Amino acid sequence: MKFKQQLKGLQAYKPGRTMDEVKKQFGLQEVIKLASNENPYGSSPKVREALTNASLDFALYPDGYASSLREAVAAHLSVKPEQLIFGNGSDEVILLVTRALLSPEVNSVGADITFSQYAHNARIEGSPYIAVPLKEDGSHDLDAMLDQVTEETAVVWICNPNNPTGTLTPSKEIYTFLQKVPNDVLIVLDEAYYEYVSSEDYEESLSWIQEFPNLLILRTFSKAYGLAAFRVGYGVGSEEVVQQLEPTREPFNNTSISQVAAQVALADQQFIQQTVEQNEKGKQQYIEFCNEHKLRYYPTETNFILIDIEQDSDEAFHYLMSKGYIIRSGKSLGLPGTIRITIGTKEQNEGLLRELSHLVSKEKV
């Protein structure tokens, strides 16, 4: 079989343990998953109501252009419908970018510790991924990234806020970076956690697209909107960029049900506001805990927090899992000694922090 040579040793994305698996392994009645940055409050209740009453013909293909959803998102963002490209999650839009622009003859530049799918998809295309270390605070070192941009560079990846650190790279720094990058290099600004950002260092990035036609902004319905099961993400850019990317997109890549769900969720901005407010309260629970136990944490503008627990992160992961809490070990994210925790409800946070308190206190005795 003549598989691509670059697939050798490449591993498929490994999702975290399911709640049913953990229940079975440890004999638990209840397990709380705080590992994948899903919305602990679910999605807008209007989504379930709409799907219950929706009249869908299951024998028909969905609208391949996602026309109704496209119009709704365009109106919400104040952009043209032609400036949008939809994916089966924003992950697929990342795949489309690599499919359209990357090859062994060109490279892409991104952070060394960031969302894994940038480097993963680049490798599948046989294209070098130039990994630049993050700054000490977990944000992107844009000056160092600019130094790596050459005539062979086709794409630059900026995850903002960054996953897994949760940190924000200030908009002023990104704007200055955009001014310096050659206009034949596509800058992908991945804003999967956009709705959670409250920092004054953030400026609405959509306003930059007209000035920088080589900018593509990614957003998703999987996080704040609570529709991870429906897999709807999208890119916003110049009409020229979107037009070039569209032929790489698979036909009918968003289901009829997912299109309805996303459009209804988009209309309920009150739910998003409530989600963000509750997330801010939950974030404070973790910050207070870290301050109390003198633990370093990365300042987060997302619905998760990365904490340096000063001990083996895999062991902490297994300990918390045995107590009914699934999180992410920083070792698998390239940051051993840390754990990444999705910010849950008040009660979920209290329960996890109670167990984590036993762990860090025991370590310091």
Side-chain angles (χ1 to χ4, degrees), residues 179-214:
Q179 291 177 309
K180 296 178 179 178
V181 174
N183 57 18
D184 64 346
V185 175
L186 181 68
I187 297 99
V188 178
L189 184 56
D190 189 345
E191 296 187 334
Y193 299 92
Y194 160 79
E195 289 82 7
Y196 291 104
V197 177
S198 60
S199 172
E200 294 181 356
D201 288 334
Y202 178 83
E203 175 187 330
E204 176 54 69
S205 56
L206 292 174
S207 62
W208 299 337
I209 292 176
Q210 188 170 357
E211 183 177 356
F212 304 105
N214 58 328

PDB file of all heavy atoms in Angstrom, residues 179-214:
ATOM      1  N   GLN A 179       0.665  43.948  10.013  1.00  0.00           N
ATOM      2  CA  GLN A 179       1.248  44.990   9.160  1.00  0.00           C
ATOM      3  C   GLN A 179       2.589  44.561   8.578  1.00  0.00           C
ATOM      4  O   GLN A 179       2.985  45.040   7.511  1.00  0.00           O
ATOM      5  CB  GLN A 179       1.425  46.281   9.962  1.00  0.00           C
ATOM      6  CG  GLN A 179       0.122  46.973  10.338  1.00  0.00           C
ATOM      7  CD  GLN A 179       0.370  48.208  11.196  1.00  0.00           C
ATOM      8  OE1 GLN A 179       1.073  48.148  12.199  1.00  0.00           O
ATOM      9  NE2 GLN A 179      -0.218  49.326  10.789  1.00  0.00           N
ATOM     10  N   LYS A 180       3.291  43.680   9.262  1.00  0.00           N
ATOM     11  CA  LYS A 180       4.646  43.294   8.857  1.00  0.00           C
ATOM     12  C   LYS A 180       4.711  42.018   8.032  1.00  0.00           C
ATOM     13  O   LYS A 180       5.688  41.793   7.306  1.00  0.00           O
ATOM     14  CB  LYS A 180       5.513  43.143  10.105  1.00  0.00           C
ATOM     15  CG  LYS A 180       5.696  44.447  10.885  1.00  0.00           C
ATOM     16  CD  LYS A 180       6.527  44.209  12.137  1.00  0.00           C
ATOM     17  CE  LYS A 180       6.733  45.495  12.919  1.00  0.00           C
ATOM     18  NZ  LYS A 180       7.510  45.259  14.163  1.00  0.00           N
ATOM     19  N   VAL A 181       3.704  41.161   8.149  1.00  0.00           N
ATOM     20  CA  VAL A 181       3.732  39.885   7.416  1.00  0.00           C
ATOM     21  C   VAL A 181       3.438  40.132   5.939  1.00  0.00           C
ATOM     22  O   VAL A 181       2.531  40.898   5.601  1.00  0.00           O
ATOM     23  CB  VAL A 181       2.690  38.914   8.008  1.00  0.00           C
ATOM     24  CG1 VAL A 181       2.608  37.651   7.159  1.00  0.00           C
ATOM     25  CG2 VAL A 181       3.052  38.544   9.434  1.00  0.00           C
ATOM     26  N   PRO A 182       4.185  39.510   5.030  1.00  0.00           N
ATOM     27  CA  PRO A 182       3.918  39.673   3.594  1.00  0.00           C
ATOM     28  C   PRO A 182       2.469  39.324   3.264  1.00  0.00           C
ATOM     29  O   PRO A 182       1.884  38.401   3.842  1.00  0.00           O
ATOM     30  CB  PRO A 182       4.890  38.671   2.951  1.00  0.00           C
ATOM     31  CG  PRO A 182       5.993  38.533   3.944  1.00  0.00           C
ATOM     32  CD  PRO A 182       5.348  38.649   5.292  1.00  0.00           C
ATOM     33  N   ASN A 183       1.900  40.061   2.303  1.00  0.00           N
ATOM     34  CA  ASN A 183       0.472  39.881   2.013  1.00  0.00           C
ATOM     35  C   ASN A 183       0.158  38.607   1.239  1.00  0.00           C
ATOM     36  O   ASN A 183      -1.014  38.306   0.991  1.00  0.00           O
ATOM     37  CB  ASN A 183      -0.092  41.103   1.270  1.00  0.00           C
ATOM     38  CG  ASN A 183       0.653  41.401  -0.014  1.00  0.00           C
ATOM     39  OD1 ASN A 183       1.365  40.549  -0.545  1.00  0.00           O
ATOM     40  ND2 ASN A 183       0.499  42.613  -0.527  1.00  0.00           N
ATOM     41  N   ASP A 184       1.205  37.840   0.871  1.00  0.00           N
ATOM     42  CA  ASP A 184       0.934  36.550   0.227  1.00  0.00           C
ATOM     43  C   ASP A 184       0.986  35.393   1.229  1.00  0.00           C
ATOM     44  O   ASP A 184       0.965  34.228   0.841  1.00  0.00           O
ATOM     45  CB  ASP A 184       1.913  36.302  -0.917  1.00  0.00           C
ATOM     46  CG  ASP A 184       3.363  36.184  -0.463  1.00  0.00           C
ATOM     47  OD1 ASP A 184       3.659  36.555   0.703  1.00  0.00           O
ATOM     48  OD2 ASP A 184       4.198  35.725  -1.270  1.00  0.00           O
ATOM     49  N   VAL A 185       1.056  35.717   2.523  1.00  0.00           N
ATOM     50  CA  VAL A 185       1.020  34.706   3.589  1.00  0.00           C
ATOM     51  C   VAL A 185      -0.338  34.799   4.281  1.00  0.00           C
ATOM     52  O   VAL A 185      -0.755  35.881   4.707  1.00  0.00           O
ATOM     53  CB  VAL A 185       2.145  34.949   4.627  1.00  0.00           C
ATOM     54  CG1 VAL A 185       2.014  33.961   5.790  1.00  0.00           C
ATOM     55  CG2 VAL A 185       3.510  34.820   3.969  1.00  0.00           C
ATOM     56  N   LEU A 186      -1.035  33.680   4.384  1.00  0.00           N
ATOM     57  CA  LEU A 186      -2.332  33.670   5.063  1.00  0.00           C
ATOM     58  C   LEU A 186      -2.116  33.606   6.568  1.00  0.00           C
ATOM     59  O   LEU A 186      -1.425  32.716   7.061  1.00  0.00           O
ATOM     60  CB  LEU A 186      -3.174  32.476   4.610  1.00  0.00           C
ATOM     61  CG  LEU A 186      -4.579  32.387   5.247  1.00  0.00           C
ATOM     62  CD1 LEU A 186      -5.467  33.515   4.752  1.00  0.00           C
ATOM     63  CD2 LEU A 186      -5.228  31.036   4.957  1.00  0.00           C
ATOM     64  N   ILE A 187      -2.702  34.548   7.285  1.00  0.00           N
ATOM     65  CA  ILE A 187      -2.667  34.509   8.750  1.00  0.00           C
ATOM     66  C   ILE A 187      -3.999  33.962   9.228  1.00  0.00           C
ATOM     67  O   ILE A 187      -5.063  34.534   8.956  1.00  0.00           O
ATOM     68  CB  ILE A 187      -2.420  35.897   9.368  1.00  0.00           C
ATOM     69  CG1 ILE A 187      -1.054  36.449   8.965  1.00  0.00           C
ATOM     70  CG2 ILE A 187      -2.487  35.814  10.888  1.00  0.00           C
ATOM     71  CD1 ILE A 187      -1.123  37.425   7.836  1.00  0.00           C
ATOM     72  N   VAL A 188      -3.959  32.833   9.931  1.00  0.00           N
ATOM     73  CA  VAL A 188      -5.163  32.220  10.492  1.00  0.00           C
ATOM     74  C   VAL A 188      -5.223  32.577  11.969  1.00  0.00           C
ATOM     75  O   VAL A 188      -4.361  32.177  12.750  1.00  0.00           O
ATOM     76  CB  VAL A 188      -5.155  30.691  10.309  1.00  0.00           C
ATOM     77  CG1 VAL A 188      -6.414  30.083  10.944  1.00  0.00           C
ATOM     78  CG2 VAL A 188      -5.081  30.333   8.829  1.00  0.00           C
ATOM     79  N   LEU A 189      -6.250  33.342  12.336  1.00  0.00           N
ATOM     80  CA  LEU A 189      -6.451  33.769  13.715  1.00  0.00           C
ATOM     81  C   LEU A 189      -7.594  32.938  14.299  1.00  0.00           C
ATOM     82  O   LEU A 189      -8.760  33.166  14.002  1.00  0.00           O
ATOM     83  CB  LEU A 189      -6.781  35.264  13.754  1.00  0.00           C
ATOM     84  CG  LEU A 189      -6.945  35.931  15.118  1.00  0.00           C
ATOM     85  CD1 LEU A 189      -5.708  35.741  15.982  1.00  0.00           C
ATOM     86  CD2 LEU A 189      -7.265  37.407  14.940  1.00  0.00           C
ATOM     87  N   ASP A 190      -7.232  31.955  15.083  1.00  0.00           N
ATOM     88  CA  ASP A 190      -8.198  30.998  15.622  1.00  0.00           C
ATOM     89  C   ASP A 190      -8.785  31.537  16.926  1.00  0.00           C
ATOM     90  O   ASP A 190      -8.109  31.596  17.954  1.00  0.00           O
ATOM     91  CB  ASP A 190      -7.500  29.658  15.858  1.00  0.00           C
ATOM     92  CG  ASP A 190      -8.464  28.542  16.222  1.00  0.00           C
ATOM     93  OD1 ASP A 190      -9.628  28.839  16.577  1.00  0.00           O
ATOM     94  OD2 ASP A 190      -8.053  27.372  16.179  1.00  0.00           O
ATOM     95  N   GLU A 191     -10.052  31.933  16.884  1.00  0.00           N
ATOM     96  CA  GLU A 191     -10.724  32.526  18.035  1.00  0.00           C
ATOM     97  C   GLU A 191     -11.850  31.626  18.546  1.00  0.00           C
ATOM     98  O   GLU A 191     -12.979  32.068  18.760  1.00  0.00           O
ATOM     99  CB  GLU A 191     -11.272  33.909  17.680  1.00  0.00           C
ATOM    100  CG  GLU A 191     -10.210  34.915  17.332  1.00  0.00           C
ATOM    101  CD  GLU A 191     -10.746  36.332  17.151  1.00  0.00           C
ATOM    102  OE1 GLU A 191     -11.941  36.486  16.807  1.00  0.00           O
ATOM    103  OE2 GLU A 191      -9.983  37.291  17.355  1.00  0.00           O
ATOM    104  N   ALA A 192     -11.536  30.363  18.775  1.00  0.00           N
ATOM    105  CA  ALA A 192     -12.547  29.406  19.225  1.00  0.00           C
ATOM    106  C   ALA A 192     -13.190  29.824  20.544  1.00  0.00           C
ATOM    107  O   ALA A 192     -14.350  29.491  20.819  1.00  0.00           O
ATOM    108  CB  ALA A 192     -11.924  28.020  19.361  1.00  0.00           C
ATOM    109  N   TYR A 193     -12.444  30.564  21.376  1.00  0.00           N
ATOM    110  CA  TYR A 193     -12.943  30.962  22.695  1.00  0.00           C
ATOM    111  C   TYR A 193     -13.295  32.453  22.741  1.00  0.00           C
ATOM    112  O   TYR A 193     -13.352  33.051  23.814  1.00  0.00           O
ATOM    113  CB  TYR A 193     -11.893  30.619  23.764  1.00  0.00           C
ATOM    114  CG  TYR A 193     -11.613  29.136  23.821  1.00  0.00           C
ATOM    115  CD1 TYR A 193     -10.579  28.582  23.072  1.00  0.00           C
ATOM    116  CD2 TYR A 193     -12.401  28.276  24.587  1.00  0.00           C
ATOM    117  CE1 TYR A 193     -10.335  27.213  23.085  1.00  0.00           C
ATOM    118  CE2 TYR A 193     -12.161  26.919  24.611  1.00  0.00           C
ATOM    119  CZ  TYR A 193     -11.130  26.393  23.861  1.00  0.00           C
ATOM    120  OH  TYR A 193     -10.902  25.040  23.878  1.00  0.00           O
ATOM    121  N   TYR A 194     -13.552  33.008  21.590  1.00  0.00           N
ATOM    122  CA  TYR A 194     -13.823  34.442  21.435  1.00  0.00           C
ATOM    123  C   TYR A 194     -14.865  34.969  22.420  1.00  0.00           C
ATOM    124  O   TYR A 194     -14.694  36.024  23.027  1.00  0.00           O
ATOM    125  CB  TYR A 194     -14.271  34.694  19.988  1.00  0.00           C
ATOM    126  CG  TYR A 194     -15.029  35.971  19.770  1.00  0.00           C
ATOM    127  CD1 TYR A 194     -14.351  37.193  19.670  1.00  0.00           C
ATOM    128  CD2 TYR A 194     -16.426  35.981  19.651  1.00  0.00           C
ATOM    129  CE1 TYR A 194     -15.047  38.376  19.456  1.00  0.00           C
ATOM    130  CE2 TYR A 194     -17.113  37.152  19.448  1.00  0.00           C
ATOM    131  CZ  TYR A 194     -16.421  38.349  19.357  1.00  0.00           C
ATOM    132  OH  TYR A 194     -17.119  39.520  19.156  1.00  0.00           O
ATOM    133  N   GLU A 195     -15.968  34.235  22.585  1.00  0.00           N
ATOM    134  CA  GLU A 195     -17.074  34.731  23.409  1.00  0.00           C
ATOM    135  C   GLU A 195     -16.694  34.923  24.871  1.00  0.00           C
ATOM    136  O   GLU A 195     -17.326  35.703  25.588  1.00  0.00           O
ATOM    137  CB  GLU A 195     -18.273  33.771  23.315  1.00  0.00           C
ATOM    138  CG  GLU A 195     -18.985  33.785  21.968  1.00  0.00           C
ATOM    139  CD  GLU A 195     -18.292  32.925  20.925  1.00  0.00           C
ATOM    140  OE1 GLU A 195     -17.321  32.199  21.276  1.00  0.00           O
ATOM    141  OE2 GLU A 195     -18.702  32.958  19.746  1.00  0.00           O
ATOM    142  N   TYR A 196     -15.665  34.230  25.334  1.00  0.00           N
ATOM    143  CA  TYR A 196     -15.283  34.290  26.742  1.00  0.00           C
ATOM    144  C   TYR A 196     -14.314  35.444  27.061  1.00  0.00           C
ATOM    145  O   TYR A 196     -14.069  35.727  28.227  1.00  0.00           O
ATOM    146  CB  TYR A 196     -14.621  32.973  27.162  1.00  0.00           C
ATOM    147  CG  TYR A 196     -15.569  31.801  27.197  1.00  0.00           C
ATOM    148  CD1 TYR A 196     -15.550  30.836  26.187  1.00  0.00           C
ATOM    149  CD2 TYR A 196     -16.486  31.659  28.233  1.00  0.00           C
ATOM    150  CE1 TYR A 196     -16.425  29.751  26.215  1.00  0.00           C
ATOM    151  CE2 TYR A 196     -17.359  30.578  28.273  1.00  0.00           C
ATOM    152  CZ  TYR A 196     -17.327  29.634  27.254  1.00  0.00           C
ATOM    153  OH  TYR A 196     -18.192  28.574  27.286  1.00  0.00           O
ATOM    154  N   VAL A 197     -13.774  36.082  26.040  1.00  0.00           N
ATOM    155  CA  VAL A 197     -12.749  37.104  26.259  1.00  0.00           C
ATOM    156  C   VAL A 197     -13.349  38.358  26.886  1.00  0.00           C
ATOM    157  O   VAL A 197     -14.336  38.907  26.388  1.00  0.00           O
ATOM    158  CB  VAL A 197     -12.047  37.471  24.942  1.00  0.00           C
ATOM    159  CG1 VAL A 197     -11.024  38.589  25.173  1.00  0.00           C
ATOM    160  CG2 VAL A 197     -11.359  36.246  24.338  1.00  0.00           C
ATOM    161  N   SER A 198     -12.750  38.816  27.980  1.00  0.00           N
ATOM    162  CA  SER A 198     -13.203  40.036  28.656  1.00  0.00           C
ATOM    163  C   SER A 198     -12.087  41.067  28.810  1.00  0.00           C
ATOM    164  O   SER A 198     -12.323  42.184  29.265  1.00  0.00           O
ATOM    165  CB  SER A 198     -13.765  39.698  30.046  1.00  0.00           C
ATOM    166  OG  SER A 198     -12.768  39.084  30.856  1.00  0.00           O
ATOM    167  N   SER A 199     -10.870  40.716  28.427  1.00  0.00           N
ATOM    168  CA  SER A 199      -9.719  41.587  28.606  1.00  0.00           C
ATOM    169  C   SER A 199      -9.819  42.860  27.764  1.00  0.00           C
ATOM    170  O   SER A 199     -10.278  42.837  26.606  1.00  0.00           O
ATOM    171  CB  SER A 199      -8.436  40.839  28.233  1.00  0.00           C
ATOM    172  OG  SER A 199      -7.332  41.709  28.226  1.00  0.00           O
ATOM    173  N   GLU A 200      -9.348  43.959  28.334  1.00  0.00           N
ATOM    174  CA  GLU A 200      -9.283  45.222  27.609  1.00  0.00           C
ATOM    175  C   GLU A 200      -8.205  45.192  26.536  1.00  0.00           C
ATOM    176  O   GLU A 200      -8.133  46.099  25.687  1.00  0.00           O
ATOM    177  CB  GLU A 200      -9.024  46.371  28.583  1.00  0.00           C
ATOM    178  CG  GLU A 200     -10.176  46.617  29.560  1.00  0.00           C
ATOM    179  CD  GLU A 200      -9.907  47.775  30.501  1.00  0.00           C
ATOM    180  OE1 GLU A 200      -8.797  48.340  30.440  1.00  0.00           O
ATOM    181  OE2 GLU A 200     -10.811  48.109  31.290  1.00  0.00           O
ATOM    182  N   ASP A 201      -7.357  44.164  26.557  1.00  0.00           N
ATOM    183  CA  ASP A 201      -6.308  44.018  25.551  1.00  0.00           C
ATOM    184  C   ASP A 201      -6.825  43.406  24.256  1.00  0.00           C
ATOM    185  O   ASP A 201      -6.049  43.196  23.312  1.00  0.00           O
ATOM    186  CB  ASP A 201      -5.166  43.149  26.091  1.00  0.00           C
ATOM    187  CG  ASP A 201      -4.338  43.867  27.134  1.00  0.00           C
ATOM    188  OD1 ASP A 201      -4.296  45.112  27.106  1.00  0.00           O
ATOM    189  OD2 ASP A 201      -3.751  43.184  27.997  1.00  0.00           O
ATOM    190  N   TYR A 202      -8.137  43.105  24.219  1.00  0.00           N
ATOM    191  CA  TYR A 202      -8.714  42.525  23.009  1.00  0.00           C
ATOM    192  C   TYR A 202      -9.506  43.571  22.243  1.00  0.00           C
ATOM    193  O   TYR A 202     -10.306  44.311  22.811  1.00  0.00           O
ATOM    194  CB  TYR A 202      -9.624  41.336  23.324  1.00  0.00           C
ATOM    195  CG  TYR A 202     -10.266  40.755  22.076  1.00  0.00           C
ATOM    196  CD1 TYR A 202      -9.570  39.838  21.293  1.00  0.00           C
ATOM    197  CD2 TYR A 202     -11.521  41.179  21.654  1.00  0.00           C
ATOM    198  CE1 TYR A 202     -10.129  39.331  20.121  1.00  0.00           C
ATOM    199  CE2 TYR A 202     -12.084  40.671  20.488  1.00  0.00           C
ATOM    200  CZ  TYR A 202     -11.381  39.761  19.722  1.00  0.00           C
ATOM    201  OH  TYR A 202     -11.924  39.279  18.559  1.00  0.00           O
ATOM    202  N   GLU A 203      -9.279  43.605  20.935  1.00  0.00           N
ATOM    203  CA  GLU A 203     -10.029  44.462  20.020  1.00  0.00           C
ATOM    204  C   GLU A 203     -10.717  43.576  19.000  1.00  0.00           C
ATOM    205  O   GLU A 203     -10.135  42.583  18.542  1.00  0.00           O
ATOM    206  CB  GLU A 203      -9.065  45.432  19.320  1.00  0.00           C
ATOM    207  CG  GLU A 203      -9.709  46.289  18.250  1.00  0.00           C
ATOM    208  CD  GLU A 203      -8.683  47.114  17.477  1.00  0.00           C
ATOM    209  OE1 GLU A 203      -7.648  47.472  18.088  1.00  0.00           O
ATOM    210  OE2 GLU A 203      -8.904  47.370  16.288  1.00  0.00           O
ATOM    211  N   GLU A 204     -11.951  43.909  18.635  1.00  0.00           N
ATOM    212  CA  GLU A 204     -12.695  43.098  17.670  1.00  0.00           C
ATOM    213  C   GLU A 204     -11.875  42.919  16.389  1.00  0.00           C
ATOM    214  O   GLU A 204     -11.620  43.879  15.664  1.00  0.00           O
ATOM    215  CB  GLU A 204     -14.039  43.749  17.358  1.00  0.00           C
ATOM    216  CG  GLU A 204     -14.852  43.051  16.301  1.00  0.00           C
ATOM    217  CD  GLU A 204     -15.077  41.581  16.596  1.00  0.00           C
ATOM    218  OE1 GLU A 204     -15.820  41.286  17.546  1.00  0.00           O
ATOM    219  OE2 GLU A 204     -14.505  40.718  15.882  1.00  0.00           O
ATOM    220  N   SER A 205     -11.498  41.696  16.122  1.00  0.00           N
ATOM    221  CA  SER A 205     -10.592  41.414  15.007  1.00  0.00           C
ATOM    222  C   SER A 205     -11.272  41.498  13.640  1.00  0.00           C
ATOM    223  O   SER A 205     -10.596  41.669  12.617  1.00  0.00           O
ATOM    224  CB  SER A 205      -9.978  40.024  15.179  1.00  0.00           C
ATOM    225  OG  SER A 205     -10.989  39.045  15.300  1.00  0.00           O
ATOM    226  N   LEU A 206     -12.581  41.370  13.589  1.00  0.00           N
ATOM    227  CA  LEU A 206     -13.279  41.415  12.306  1.00  0.00           C
ATOM    228  C   LEU A 206     -13.039  42.726  11.573  1.00  0.00           C
ATOM    229  O   LEU A 206     -13.105  42.786  10.346  1.00  0.00           O
ATOM    230  CB  LEU A 206     -14.782  41.203  12.513  1.00  0.00           C
ATOM    231  CG  LEU A 206     -15.228  39.817  12.987  1.00  0.00           C
ATOM    232  CD1 LEU A 206     -16.719  39.818  13.284  1.00  0.00           C
ATOM    233  CD2 LEU A 206     -14.890  38.755  11.952  1.00  0.00           C
ATOM    234  N   SER A 207     -12.754  43.775  12.348  1.00  0.00           N
ATOM    235  CA  SER A 207     -12.533  45.089  11.742  1.00  0.00           C
ATOM    236  C   SER A 207     -11.256  45.133  10.912  1.00  0.00           C
ATOM    237  O   SER A 207     -11.029  46.069  10.146  1.00  0.00           O
ATOM    238  CB  SER A 207     -12.474  46.168  12.832  1.00  0.00           C
ATOM    239  OG  SER A 207     -11.384  45.936  13.710  1.00  0.00           O
ATOM    240  N   TRP A 208     -10.391  44.111  11.046  1.00  0.00           N
ATOM    241  CA  TRP A 208      -9.111  44.099  10.336  1.00  0.00           C
ATOM    242  C   TRP A 208      -9.191  43.475   8.945  1.00  0.00           C
ATOM    243  O   TRP A 208      -8.270  43.641   8.151  1.00  0.00           O
ATOM    244  CB  TRP A 208      -8.076  43.318  11.144  1.00  0.00           C
ATOM    245  CG  TRP A 208      -7.786  43.870  12.499  1.00  0.00           C
ATOM    246  CD1 TRP A 208      -7.971  45.152  12.939  1.00  0.00           C
ATOM    247  CD2 TRP A 208      -7.229  43.139  13.599  1.00  0.00           C
ATOM    248  NE1 TRP A 208      -7.573  45.272  14.239  1.00  0.00           N
ATOM    249  CE2 TRP A 208      -7.111  44.043  14.681  1.00  0.00           C
ATOM    250  CE3 TRP A 208      -6.817  41.823  13.791  1.00  0.00           C
ATOM    251  CZ2 TRP A 208      -6.596  43.668  15.926  1.00  0.00           C
ATOM    252  CZ3 TRP A 208      -6.302  41.451  15.019  1.00  0.00           C
ATOM    253  CH2 TRP A 208      -6.195  42.365  16.076  1.00  0.00           C
ATOM    254  N   ILE A 209     -10.255  42.745   8.670  1.00  0.00           N
ATOM    255  CA  ILE A 209     -10.303  41.954   7.433  1.00  0.00           C
ATOM    256  C   ILE A 209     -10.206  42.825   6.185  1.00  0.00           C
ATOM    257  O   ILE A 209      -9.530  42.469   5.209  1.00  0.00           O
ATOM    258  CB  ILE A 209     -11.569  41.080   7.396  1.00  0.00           C
ATOM    259  CG1 ILE A 209     -11.466  39.995   8.472  1.00  0.00           C
ATOM    260  CG2 ILE A 209     -11.759  40.447   6.021  1.00  0.00           C
ATOM    261  CD1 ILE A 209     -12.708  39.135   8.600  1.00  0.00           C
ATOM    262  N   GLN A 210     -10.860  43.969   6.188  1.00  0.00           N
ATOM    263  CA  GLN A 210     -10.818  44.831   5.008  1.00  0.00           C
ATOM    264  C   GLN A 210      -9.410  45.350   4.741  1.00  0.00           C
ATOM    265  O   GLN A 210      -8.974  45.456   3.599  1.00  0.00           O
ATOM    266  CB  GLN A 210     -11.781  46.013   5.196  1.00  0.00           C
ATOM    267  CG  GLN A 210     -11.945  46.848   3.927  1.00  0.00           C
ATOM    268  CD  GLN A 210     -13.063  47.856   4.048  1.00  0.00           C
ATOM    269  OE1 GLN A 210     -13.764  47.920   5.051  1.00  0.00           O
ATOM    270  NE2 GLN A 210     -13.234  48.671   3.007  1.00  0.00           N
ATOM    271  N   GLU A 211      -8.682  45.658   5.823  1.00  0.00           N
ATOM    272  CA  GLU A 211      -7.317  46.157   5.677  1.00  0.00           C
ATOM    273  C   GLU A 211      -6.334  45.043   5.345  1.00  0.00           C
ATOM    274  O   GLU A 211      -5.341  45.268   4.636  1.00  0.00           O
ATOM    275  CB  GLU A 211      -6.886  46.857   6.968  1.00  0.00           C
ATOM    276  CG  GLU A 211      -5.510  47.483   6.908  1.00  0.00           C
ATOM    277  CD  GLU A 211      -5.131  48.236   8.177  1.00  0.00           C
ATOM    278  OE1 GLU A 211      -5.990  48.329   9.093  1.00  0.00           O
ATOM    279  OE2 GLU A 211      -3.987  48.708   8.260  1.00  0.00           O
ATOM    280  N   PHE A 212      -6.613  43.833   5.863  1.00  0.00           N
ATOM    281  CA  PHE A 212      -5.705  42.701   5.650  1.00  0.00           C
ATOM    282  C   PHE A 212      -6.475  41.541   4.998  1.00  0.00           C
ATOM    283  O   PHE A 212      -7.002  40.658   5.678  1.00  0.00           O
ATOM    284  CB  PHE A 212      -5.102  42.251   6.983  1.00  0.00           C
ATOM    285  CG  PHE A 212      -4.387  43.336   7.729  1.00  0.00           C
ATOM    286  CD1 PHE A 212      -4.962  43.927   8.839  1.00  0.00           C
ATOM    287  CD2 PHE A 212      -3.135  43.785   7.312  1.00  0.00           C
ATOM    288  CE1 PHE A 212      -4.314  44.932   9.534  1.00  0.00           C
ATOM    289  CE2 PHE A 212      -2.472  44.795   7.997  1.00  0.00           C
ATOM    290  CZ  PHE A 212      -3.065  45.372   9.108  1.00  0.00           C
ATOM    291  N   PRO A 213      -6.549  41.530   3.669  1.00  0.00           N
ATOM    292  CA  PRO A 213      -7.290  40.465   2.969  1.00  0.00           C
ATOM    293  C   PRO A 213      -6.659  39.094   3.121  1.00  0.00           C
ATOM    294  O   PRO A 213      -7.264  38.092   2.730  1.00  0.00           O
ATOM    295  CB  PRO A 213      -7.277  40.935   1.506  1.00  0.00           C
ATOM    296  CG  PRO A 213      -6.132  41.878   1.414  1.00  0.00           C
ATOM    297  CD  PRO A 213      -6.012  42.532   2.748  1.00  0.00           C
ATOM    298  N   ASN A 214      -5.446  39.035   3.695  1.00  0.00           N
ATOM    299  CA  ASN A 214      -4.786  37.739   3.932  1.00  0.00           C
ATOM    300  C   ASN A 214      -5.049  37.221   5.347  1.00  0.00           C
ATOM    301  O   ASN A 214      -4.322  36.353   5.841  1.00  0.00           O
ATOM    302  CB  ASN A 214      -3.280  37.842   3.692  1.00  0.00           C
ATOM    303  CG  ASN A 214      -2.602  38.890   4.576  1.00  0.00           C
ATOM    304  OD1 ASN A 214      -3.201  39.903   4.922  1.00  0.00           O
ATOM    305  ND2 ASN A 214      -1.349  38.661   4.932  1.00  0.00           N
TER     306      ASN A 214
END
